[in-house]
Amino acid sequence: MANTDIWDPDAYLRWTRPRTRAVRDLLGSIDHAGPRLVVDLGCGPGNNTELIAGRWPDALVLGIDSSPRMIAAARSRQRPGRLEFREGDLREWEPDGAPDVVVASAVLQWLPDHLSLLPRIAGFLAPGGVLGFQMPGEVPGSIADIARELAATDAWRDTLRDALDAMTTVHAATDYLTVLGDAGLEAEAWETRYWFPLAGEGSLAGYAAGSVLRPVLARLSPGDADRFLAEYAERQRAAQPPRVVGGQPVQLLRQRRVFALGRRSP
């Protein structure tokens, strides 16, 4: 992750449905009847952490994020002793006690070395504890592909060189299966593809502005950021013209998500 705080909670929260669907699917796959401590690594503005708290109403749920802006937004949801948030870098994070469940949603892809971090995180689990994570995988013509193509043009190449490099680190599902198994966990991994209809002109650009475009927009002046986003929206519409669904014009957000779970023996 970059040293500067590139995240914008408002931009992230504009598109909660496609951002929470994979989280709900991940939570539904975690089988733990009575966790006492649950940790959400990369919790963002806390909306997904609230879902986790609803999944296990008797647990203390702790959200960790390296972005001060995200943590400031998340603390409006805080309920001391029940749902709490702390600023911290998950590469250095150590729990106060052994967590029963650790969740990491759409965060590991920002860390090029995250395969080497997984055994360390797995080692914190309590007996019977579960580590579960999911992240966006690449699909041809994705919102990330359009961003890379535009950033590589003559107008933006010098300014945006390497701006998007950090967000592409997603390995094959079998790699996560192997790493978790080698860490002593009972492991499983899978992939899911989603299609979300987003209503409104430029909706895909708006969605991207809250996630994959953050490293780009943070590097540009406000005027240049607006210009880049307008050019991005134009390219996105050309690559994937709106279609009519339910009588309304929409743009379709395509997602491939990679999931993995690892359970420590009781």
Side-chain angles (χ1 to χ4, degrees):
M1 292 182 184
N3 292 326
T4 55
D5 191 354
I6 66 173
W7 296 101
D8 181 345
D10 292 335
Y12 183 88
L13 288 169
R14 281 188 202 116
W15 306 99
T16 56
R17 182 169 174 268
R19 296 198 199 283
T20 60
R21 175 56 190 270
V23 179
R24 294 177 186 275
D25 289 350
L26 176 63
L27 295 179
S29 300
I30 297 176
D31 182 16
H32 198 301
R36 292 175 295 176
L37 175 62
V38 180
V39 180
D40 181 17
L41 295 177
C43 66
N47 56 312
N48 291 333
T49 322
E50 279 193 321
L51 294 177
I52 295 170
R55 173 73 171 81
W56 292 291
D58 296 325
L60 167 61
V61 180
L62 179 62
I64 306 291
D65 202 284
S66 63
S67 165
R69 295 174 70 188
M70 287 294 202
I71 288 295
R75 283 190 171 134
S76 66
R77 308 171 188 267
Q78 188 158 267
R79 288 173 277 157
R82 175 72 183 87
L83 176 61
E84 299 180 2
F85 298 93
R86 299 176 190 171
E87 185 180 333
D89 189 327
L90 68 83
R91 291 169 294 191
E92 302 170 354
W93 167 77
E94 293 186 10
D96 296 333
D100 300 293
V101 177
V102 176
V103 177
S105 288
V107 62
L108 294 176
Q109 76 274 10
W110 295 100
L111 303 175
D113 61 344
H114 67 258
L115 276 182
S116 64
L117 290 174
L118 291 172
R120 178 175 181 271
I121 296 172
F124 295 138
L125 291 172
V130 180
L131 168 61
F133 54 88
Q134 60 86 17
M135 68 195 84
E138 289 293 306
V139 293
S142 68
I143 57 176
D145 280 348
I146 301 297
R148 292 191 197 94
E149 292 170 6
L150 179 55
T153 61
D154 292 342
W156 301 106
R157 184 182 300 115
D158 291 341
T159 304
L160 298 178
R161 188 182 308 276
D162 302 329
L164 292 169
D165 286 357
M167 61 161 227
T168 61
T169 310
V170 178
H171 300 277
T174 51
D175 292 333
Y176 298 113
L177 188 75
T178 300
V179 168
L180 294 176
D182 288 348
L185 305 185
E186 179 184 349
E188 57 184 296
W190 68 98
E191 296 184 7
T192 301
R193 291 181 183 263
Y194 300 96
W195 293 79
F196 295 101
L198 304 183
E201 186 75 10
S203 54
L204 280 172
Y207 180 89
S211 53
V212 298
L213 294 184
R214 294 315 304 167
V216 168
L217 301 179
R219 192 176 289 192
L220 299 174
S221 68
D224 283 346
D226 289 344
R227 185 162 61 91
F228 183 93
L229 196 57
E231 293 180 17
Y232 177 88
E234 183 178 352
R235 282 176 173 255
Q236 186 66 67
R237 284 193 298 270
Q240 190 178 342
R243 64 174 63 198
V244 176
V245 176
Q248 299 293 325
V250 301
Q251 288 189 292
L252 293 179
L253 172 65
R254 297 176 295 165
Q255 288 188 344
R256 168 179 160 256
R257 293 275 171 166
V258 179
F259 295 77
L261 292 177
R263 174 183 293 277
R264 180 165 298 288
S265 59

